[in-house]
Amino acid sequence: MEESGGKFWASIVERQLKYRYWVMAGMIVLTLFFAQEIFFKLKIETNFFELYPPKHQYIQLYKEFRKMFGSANEMTIVLKRTDGKDIYNPVTMRKLDELTQGVLKIKGVNPLQVTSATHPKVKQIMIGQLGVDVQPLTYPAVKGYPSNEEECDIFRKTVYGQDGIRGFFISLDDKSAAVYAAFWEEGLDFDYLFTTVNELTASVSDEAHECQVSGYPMLYAWMAHYKLQLMLVLLVTMLLMMVTLIVYFRSLRGLVIPVVSGILSGIWGLGFAGVMGYNIDPLLLVVPVLLSARALSHSCQCMDRFHQEFAVIGDKNKAIVKAYSAVFAPCLVGGFTDGLGCLTICIATIPLMQKLAYVASFWVISILMCVTILNPIILSFLPAPPIEEKVKVRNWLGKRKFSVWSIVYQKIMDFILGLSGPRMKWVTLGVIIVLVSGGFYTAMHLKIGDSSAGGAILYSDHPYNVAAKTMNEGFLGDSKLVVVLKGREKGAIKDQQTLNTMEKLGDFMQNNIPNVGGTASLADMVRNINRMYHDGVPKWEMVPQDSKTLGQIYFMLAGGMAPGEMDMKVSMPDYTDSNVTAYFRNYNHATIKQAIEKTSEFAQTVNADPNSKVDIKLAGGILGILAAVNEEVEWSYWAIFIVIFTSIFLLCAITYRSWKAALILILPVYVSQVVCEMFMMLNHIDLNIDSLPVASVGVGVGIDYGIYLMSRLKEECAKTNDFELAKLMALTTTGKTIMFTAITLMLALIPWLFSSIKFQAEMGILILVLMVFNMIGAIVFLPALTAVFKPNFVKRMGTTEPINKTAIAVG
């Protein structure tokens, strides 16, 4: 059976070589097609709606009400005094007004959601000559902002006399002022935004004033700013890979074959994204490194096998056929498991994840085509290895007999073989069982969305996180959770009971949910106006009990507001829907979950009341969106890994016709995943929408290593009928290549550790950990598990006493 299978694969390789010109022409045409798709169509940018799970109830609620109550995609610019003085002076007020007007001119901003203490839509409720009046907060300033000391003194008194100003628009220490600006998600140009915002903030900064910018639009503007650095790091990574290839193979073939495979598969993969109209998120540029590792792994295994066969046969074309027919099957199996692993990411309903799944799986297919079809053809055009190289390659341990690399590797091999020996294999099995058991712990304690977005992506001293810290410490909070009160009938918000519900909800959130700095709603405005109706006496700051007074308040609000100024508080003109907004000083996934759970408990009572005129709906604002994303990430992570490991197990069981072989392959990969999760926990790396693809795609690298070693072990068992000898030959050939490819990627990841982006540095370390333990899993755990479980290809033969390994190594 094995021999007939070998003949089948050999016939395929022979036909590829026979029609090599036609095959080359076809692949060149395809490559040119995909290259022009990259050039003309591919974009490296963030699309916010691709980050949102569209079917989640929070996202559906947000989409329903975002045009009514505004976008959650909000940016905050803080104008801060650096000399210790307060902001109540003409210079600072002028700068604040310039910032406000400058933000209104930025393309993509929602002008109805631009607010600041000097914006006319921010109101004061006052007692005028004709009674209670609603005027801009800066009234009676003539220029629209306090332009002299007298107006600044009036403004200070106004700020202190109005609720909802200090902590929202003016910091609690009076030394900073905030400008809020929300942007529509569609078509936001982050390069333009970064440049424009920095020019605007620079124009008002001086020795006494500085600007700090936070909020999701600015976070992704920073990512756009770092795009070139991200790509430069990737380029350096690829160059380091090329250097290690030259050092290892010391030949043109050893460099050209893997590099061509990596470049062509990259062009095809990215070109496919262009064909499908997909954009590439800058934070997901880490994924091509993992995919390049696959191309490197497959190419190096094939190249090493060619050198081994040429050392024995001495004929280039025959060595190509024999080598590639031997690795064709494991390469296909590894490729299918890789592709299947990538494709399972589409289980997530987040559009970005789904698009990544399709692109990555196609990329893997392109790697298969390059390695199994193109590589042998390129080899056929290149000159045969020189005679002296042929002699050197006879030593499976390295290119040169008695070289340092050979001696070191032989010592490593002796240790590895010992770990799968008659006694130590049980110890190794015990270690594996302990690590597998650790998966139950990590499953319970792995953090989902544990950090704020800025904290997960950028370092704590980055200007973005410094700005967020300023908002959280000096103001009521930088992040909003919006709860919608959806009327059951028109005019529901005018009802006194509804306003009482709104007021109770705000109090409940502020008093029962951690990290809530304050809340805001229409009820606050109604209370303030009612107080002014009673000469400003504080005890009258309440929702009026009679409908007549309430009607007068609404009439005055409508008359005192310009068109659009009430839209953020209540649906106009029917007064059917409204909202309560909670401001959070800090958050993580646990905080958001707790907030939504507690608010849901409050909402259940209201929604179950048949006399209530509104239903409370959760949840909008940036925290509502993050809650939806985190819930989807949490569900997707476990669903993806269950599907990946189940699919890989079944595919391996079918391929090797042994459930034991499948178990032997899957256990080391699972151990690597558990270790990866432990590393994430110890280093406070949370699982989020950006790290999920890295963790998911990384599974395929480990299974590649295992499949190649298992296939070589099976092949050597059939040849030698001696398990110890077969294990030695597999480790000194395929195992050596596994070690090389893992070390190559680890060295290539060094530039990542110095990245300005915390996420990129953390993912570099995470991939490095994956590579180390995937390598250990393949060359240490797999032989030990094979010795313990004895799959069919081991059972069919007898084992012997340990052999003279050195004699075999240099023979």
Side-chain angles (χ1 to χ4, degrees):
M1 181 69 72
E2 296 289 342
E3 186 178 351
S4 62
K7 289 181 179 179
F8 171 75
W9 298 118
S11 65
I12 290 180
V13 179
E14 288 170 352
R15 288 180 183 176
Q16 289 173 193
L17 296 178
K18 182 179 179 181
Y19 299 106
R20 58 182 182 173
Y21 290 103
W22 288 104
V23 175
M24 286 279 287
M27 297 194 80
I28 289 172
V29 170
L30 281 173
T31 302
L32 291 174
F33 168 73
F34 285 124
Q36 63 93 23
E37 291 295 308
I38 294 173
F39 184 79
F40 290 107
K41 295 183 179 179
L42 186 66
K43 294 181 179 179
I44 300 176
E45 62 183 16
T46 299
N47 183 331
F48 279 113
F49 275 120
E50 290 186 355
L51 306 177
Y52 306 162
K55 297 181 181 179
H56 197 285
Q57 60 178 343
Y58 301 161
I59 302 302
Q60 291 179 343
L61 181 77
Y62 170 65
K63 287 183 177 179
E64 180 182 355
F65 286 98
R66 77 184 184 110
K67 289 187 177 179
M68 185 182 300
F69 298 139
S71 170
N73 192 28
E74 190 171 63
M75 179 179 73
T76 306
I77 304 177
V78 174
L79 178 64
K80 184 177 182 180
R81 293 286 304 210
T82 59
D83 56 3
K85 297 180 180 179
D86 62 42
I87 64 164
Y88 304 110
N89 64 83
V91 175
T92 303
M93 288 292 99
R94 175 178 56 78
K95 290 179 179 292
L96 181 61
D97 190 62
E98 288 175 1
L99 270 180
T100 306
Q101 294 190 40
V103 168
L104 282 165
K105 298 175 183 177
I106 298 176
K107 290 186 294 186
V109 74
N110 177 6
L112 297 179
Q113 279 185 270
V114 176
T115 55
S116 75
T118 61
H119 195 290
K121 75 183 299 180
V122 177
K123 303 294 186 179
Q124 60 170 306
I125 301 165
M126 56 184 291
I127 300 175
Q129 295 179 350
L130 300 178
V132 178
D133 194 10
V134 178
Q135 292 288 349
L137 187 67
T138 55
Y139 178 85
V142 178
K143 291 185 177 181
Y145 64 90
S147 57
N148 55 55
E149 293 296 338
E150 181 183 357
E151 290 179 348
C152 285
D153 287 339
I154 295 173
F155 181 70
R156 182 203 302 268
K157 294 175 183 177
T158 302
V159 167
Y160 272 80
Q162 298 289 319
D163 288 338
I165 303 300
R166 293 183 73 248
F168 290 93
F169 300 102
I170 307 294
S171 65
L172 298 173
D173 63 1
D174 295 324
K175 295 176 182 178
S176 303
V179 178
Y180 299 95
F183 294 80
W184 298 117
E185 286 89 347
E186 296 88 347
L188 188 56
D189 186 335
F190 293 105
D191 291 307
Y192 160 81
L193 182 66
F194 185 83
T195 302
T196 305
V197 169
N198 278 286
E199 289 176 352
L200 176 61
T201 55
S203 69
V204 299
S205 299
D206 56 28
E207 64 277 1
H209 300 83
E210 70 171 8
C211 290
Q212 299 175 346
V213 189
S214 63
Y216 258 66
M218 197 59 192
L219 176 62
Y220 283 91
W222 274 109
M223 290 303 99
H225 174 67
Y226 286 129
K227 186 164 54 181
L228 289 178
Q229 185 188 116
L230 284 167
M231 298 179 73
L232 179 61
V233 170
L234 291 178
L235 178 61
V236 174
T237 299
M238 300 304 172
L239 291 175
L240 285 173
M241 286 184 183
M242 293 171 63
V243 170
T244 54
L245 286 170
I246 294 172
V247 171
Y248 181 71
F249 285 109
R250 299 191 182 186
S251 68
L252 182 64
R253 291 179 307 282
L255 175 64
V256 170
I257 303 298
V259 168
V260 168
S261 299
I263 292 176
L264 259 64
S265 61
I267 292 174
W268 286 30
L270 294 174
F272 176 76
V275 171
M276 300 299 292
Y278 298 161
N279 59 291
I280 302 296
D281 192 285
L283 287 175
L284 293 184
L285 288 174
V286 64
V287 174
V289 176
L290 286 170
L291 296 174
S292 298
R294 283 173 160 81
L296 182 71
S297 176
H298 290 300
S299 292
C300 288
Q301 288 289 351
C302 296
M303 283 291 297
D304 251 4
R305 188 57 184 263
F306 164 73
H307 283 111
Q308 294 160 18
E309 297 299 341
F310 181 79
V312 176
I313 300 172
D315 182 279
K316 183 182 70 172
N317 286 338
K318 288 182 180 179
I320 291 173
V321 173
K322 186 159 187 184
Y324 279 86
S325 61
V327 297
F328 217 112
C331 188
L332 285 179
V333 175
F336 279 125
T337 54
D338 288 350
L340 192 62
C342 293
L343 192 59
T344 54
I345 299 175
C346 72
I347 292 173
T349 61
I350 300 172
L352 182 68
M353 298 292 98
Q354 294 176 336
K355 292 180 179 181
L356 175 67
Y358 303 140
V359 171
S361 56
F362 183 86
W363 196 319
V364 170
I365 292 172
S366 69
I367 290 173
L368 277 179
M369 294 187 67
C370 288
V371 173
T372 59
I373 297 175
L374 186 61
N375 283 12
I377 292 175
I378 296 175
L379 266 177
S380 69
F381 285 108
L382 296 175
I387 298 299
E388 61 269 20
E389 187 174 344
K390 169 185 170 183
V391 175
K392 291 174 188 174
V393 179
R394 289 184 186 277
N395 177 8
W396 296 128
L397 300 181
K399 300 296 182 191
R400 296 175 178 171
K401 294 181 181 180
F402 315 117
S403 66
V404 174
W405 167 239
S406 293
I407 295 170
V408 171
Y409 187 79
Q410 184 172 337
K411 296 296 183 183
I412 295 173
M413 184 199 67
D414 288 341
F415 176 72
I416 292 171
L417 286 169
L419 292 176
S420 57
R423 295 179 182 177
M424 286 300 297
K425 65 183 180 183
W426 300 107
V427 176
T428 305
L429 178 62
V431 173
I432 294 171
I433 291 172
V434 170
L435 290 173
V436 168
S437 302
F440 295 101
Y441 179 81
T442 59
M444 298 297 295
H445 296 88
L446 185 65
K447 301 296 184 181
I448 310 294
D450 193 43
S451 303
S452 66
I457 296 174
L458 301 168
Y459 290 104
S460 59
D461 59 351
H462 190 278
Y464 177 88
N465 286 324
V466 171
K469 184 178 179 181
T470 298
M471 280 298 299
N472 290 327
E473 292 180 351
F475 295 78
L476 295 183
D478 191 37
S479 306
K480 297 178 182 179
L481 178 67
V482 177
V483 181
V484 174
L485 282 76
K486 188 173 184 179
R488 296 177 182 176
E489 59 186 44
K490 286 186 177 181
I493 305 303
K494 290 184 176 181
D495 184 72
Q496 181 207 352
Q497 181 184 351
T498 299
L499 288 170
N500 287 333
T501 299
M502 194 180 296
E503 186 176 25
K504 290 176 182 177
L505 176 58
D507 291 340
F508 176 84
M509 296 178 76
Q510 190 161 352
N511 296 326
N512 294 277
I513 299 175
N515 296 330
V516 173
T519 61
S521 69
L522 180 65
D524 299 331
M525 299 181 68
V526 171
R527 289 202 314 267
N528 288 333
I529 295 174
N530 190 54
R531 174 183 170 182
M532 293 301 166
Y533 273 169
H534 295 82
D535 299 320
V537 178
K539 76 173 186 177
W540 290 102
E541 191 171 335
M542 53 186 264
V543 174
Q545 301 300 308
D546 61 289
S547 57
K548 181 179 179 181
T549 303
L550 195 57
Q552 291 174 343
I553 288 174
Y554 277 114
F555 178 80
M556 191 196 65
L557 274 175
M561 298 285 185
E565 289 186 348
M566 284 285 288
D567 289 353
M568 299 300 297
K569 298 291 185 182
V570 62
S571 60
M572 299 292 286
D574 56 16
Y575 290 89
T576 303
D577 306 308
S578 188
N579 65 79
V580 176
T581 301
Y583 293 79
F584 282 70
R585 284 201 166 97
N586 204 350
Y587 70 85
N588 56 34
H589 183 51
T591 303
I592 298 173
K593 284 182 69 174
Q594 184 180 9
I596 290 178
E597 287 172 2
K598 286 183 175 295
T599 308
S600 295
E601 292 173 4
F602 182 95
Q604 287 174 4
T605 304
V606 175
N607 296 345
D609 183 1
N611 297 319
S612 173
K613 295 184 181 298
V614 293
D615 290 313
I616 296 178
K617 300 289 185 180
L618 279 80
I622 190 61
L623 296 189
I625 291 173
L626 288 177
V629 172
N630 288 341
E631 286 179 15
E632 183 62 26
V633 167
E634 186 172 14
W635 176 88
S636 299
Y637 182 75
W638 301 116
I640 287 170
F641 278 106
I642 289 171
V643 174
I644 285 178
F645 281 102
T646 302
S647 303
I648 290 175
F649 179 85
L650 293 175
L651 187 58
C652 291
I654 294 170
T655 301
Y656 293 100
R657 300 179 185 179
S658 169
W659 67 268
K660 289 183 179 180
L663 184 64
I664 291 167
L665 282 168
I666 211 75
L667 280 177
V669 179
Y670 181 70
V671 167
S672 299
Q673 194 60 39
V674 172
V675 172
C676 177
E677 290 171 359
M678 289 179 177
F679 177 82
M680 292 175 69
M681 290 170 59
L682 289 172
N683 290 274
H684 307 290
I685 302 174
D686 59 328
L687 186 66
N688 52 48
I689 192 172
D690 299 309
S691 58
L692 172 63
V694 178
S696 304
V697 176
V699 172
V701 178
I703 202 66
D704 278 354
Y705 291 165
I707 286 171
Y708 274 111
L709 192 68
M710 175 72 79
S711 297
R712 188 58 183 263
L713 185 59
K714 182 179 180 182
E715 179 186 335
E716 295 298 337
C717 282
K719 287 180 181 178
T720 63
N721 199 38
D722 185 311
F723 179 66
E724 291 297 324
L725 178 57
K727 188 169 60 173
L728 170 65
M729 297 302 294
L731 286 172
T732 53
T733 54
T734 302
K736 178 164 64 71
T737 309
I738 289 171
M739 184 176 289
F740 161 71
T741 53
I743 292 174
T744 294
L745 191 60
M746 285 187 276
L747 293 173
L749 288 170
I750 290 175
W752 292 45
L753 308 183
F754 303 98
S755 174
S756 302
I757 303 172
K758 176 186 174 184
F759 172 78
Q760 189 178 37
E762 288 183 341
M763 289 304 102
I765 298 173
L766 191 63
I767 295 171
L768 191 147
V769 171
L770 274 172
M771 291 298 102
V772 169
F773 279 91
N774 280 329
M775 177 185 71
I776 292 172
I779 65 178
V780 176
F781 293 161
L782 190 144
L785 289 170
T786 305
V788 170
F789 290 110
K790 292 183 174 59
N792 293 336
F793 64 84
V794 174
K795 274 189 173 181
R796 286 196 293 263
M797 65 179 191
T799 58
T800 64
E801 292 298 317
I803 59 175
N804 186 339
K805 296 181 280 293
T806 304
I808 295 296
V810 297

